Amino acid sequence: LAKTTQPISMDSYEGQEVNITCSHNNIATNDYITWYQQFPSQGPRFIIQGYKTKVTNEVASLFIPADRKSSTLSLPRVSLSDTAVYYCLVGDLPFKTIFGAGTRLFVKA
Amino acid sequence: DAGITQSPRHKVTETGTPVTLRCHQTENHRYMYWYRQDPGHGLRLIHYSYGVKDTDKGEVSDGYSVSRSKTEDFLLTLESATSSQTSVYFCAISETTANTGELFFGEGSRLTVL
């Protein structure tokens, strides 16, 4: 099972772009990279998923270099409501992916 | 939002008593999961199910059992609760186990074992 390493916490201000990097040195060929967001007292919520290069949706972008040993979640122009914990997961099957401790993002006014 | 209901949402019990948490889904998804979340550990998989009566162990299955008699219900049982099982329990569902299988989570059940 591929383990991931993320910063424990990050601070940002409203309107800034936030980049959270995840390291996954032992990622396997079939593994996908998935990011979830969790607010207090709620279950995690899917944000974005990718295999290689760049993926963009309405809320975030995911950048994956060619070696796939890391990935970066980019949140454009964050707001106070983006304060949450962000988890990076790597795996090929939901029951073979591990949630790490995540990155606690705090957005300040 | 995915139709997932966990019950009870909050429970306080005493050491040695049995506890059952219920997860009910209205999405007809095949796969269901139980996780626990503790400070500093993120979410850890307890058990999962890949169909009616088909279940398997996850990362931290000791002290827990599960049952799935219907597609929509997945029960997590603590036969004899211990203080180390005080945690927040999340149920999740997914339609597929394909590489792009997204997990949908319930709101969580907070269990306190005294």
Side-chain angles (χ1 to χ4, degrees):
Chain A
L1 300 177
K3 292 195 67 174
T4 60
T5 302
Q6 306 173 232
I8 294 174
S9 65
M10 296 180 67
D11 288 343
S12 183
Y13 288 93
E14 281 190 295
Q16 290 188 332
E17 177 184 76
V18 171
N19 295 309
I20 305 174
T21 296
C22 179
S23 173
H24 28 80
N25 291 320
N26 59 340
I27 188 170
T29 302
N30 293 333
D31 288 347
Y32 274 66
I33 300 157
T34 311
W35 286 79
Y36 285 82
Q37 174 191 56
Q38 185 178 26
F39 298 113
S41 301
Q42 294 185 24
R45 185 178 67 174
F46 174 91
I47 301 175
I48 196 166
Q49 183 181 72
Y51 183 80
K52 61 180 179 181
T53 64
K54 176 183 175 182
V55 179
T56 297
N57 63 21
E58 63 276 9
V59 297
S61 295
L62 179 59
F63 298 92
I64 305 169
D67 66 6
R68 305 202 324 125
K69 293 184 182 299
S70 67
S71 59
T72 299
L73 174 72
S74 181
L75 304 172
R77 295 184 298 281
V78 295
S79 64
L80 296 176
S81 62
D82 291 316
T83 292
V85 178
Y86 293 83
Y87 296 96
C88 165
L89 281 71
V90 172
D92 60 347
L93 297 169
F95 48 84
K96 289 187 177 180
T97 56
I98 296 176
F99 281 82
T103 297
R104 188 173 300 275
L105 173 66
F106 185 68
V107 180
K108 294 179 273 190
Chain B
D1 290 341
I4 307 170
T5 304
Q6 292 185 228
S7 60
R9 294 290 313 280
H10 301 272
K11 185 174 182 63
V12 179
T13 190
E14 294 186 349
T15 298
T17 60
V19 175
T20 295
L21 305 180
R22 179 183 183 234
C23 178
H24 178 78
Q25 60 147 328
T26 58
E27 305 296 323
N28 200 35
H29 283 2
R30 178 179 175 184
Y31 303 93
M32 300 186 74
Y33 314 80
W34 275 108
Y35 290 86
R36 62 176 288 174
Q37 185 170 36
D38 305 292
H41 284 95
L43 283 86
R44 292 181 290 176
L45 182 64
I46 305 172
H47 282 279
Y48 64 95
S49 169
Y50 46 96
V52 173
K53 299 189 186 305
D54 292 323
T55 65
D56 206 345
K57 297 179 180 179
E59 183 185 359
V60 290
S61 59
D62 288 348
Y64 302 94
S65 63
V66 291
S67 64
R68 191 166 177 204
S69 59
K70 298 183 291 184
T71 298
E72 58 267 34
D73 290 326
F74 193 32
L75 304 180
L76 177 70
T77 298
L78 292 65
E79 299 291 347
S80 178
T82 67
S83 58
S84 64
Q85 293 175 311
T86 291
S87 187
V88 180
Y89 292 85
F90 287 98
C91 173
I93 64 174
S94 68
E95 188 172 22
T96 176
T97 58
N99 288 341
T100 56
E102 177 182 344
L103 290 168
F104 299 93
F105 285 85
E107 293 297 305
S109 295
R110 182 175 295 275
L111 175 67
T112 301
V113 184
L114 302 176

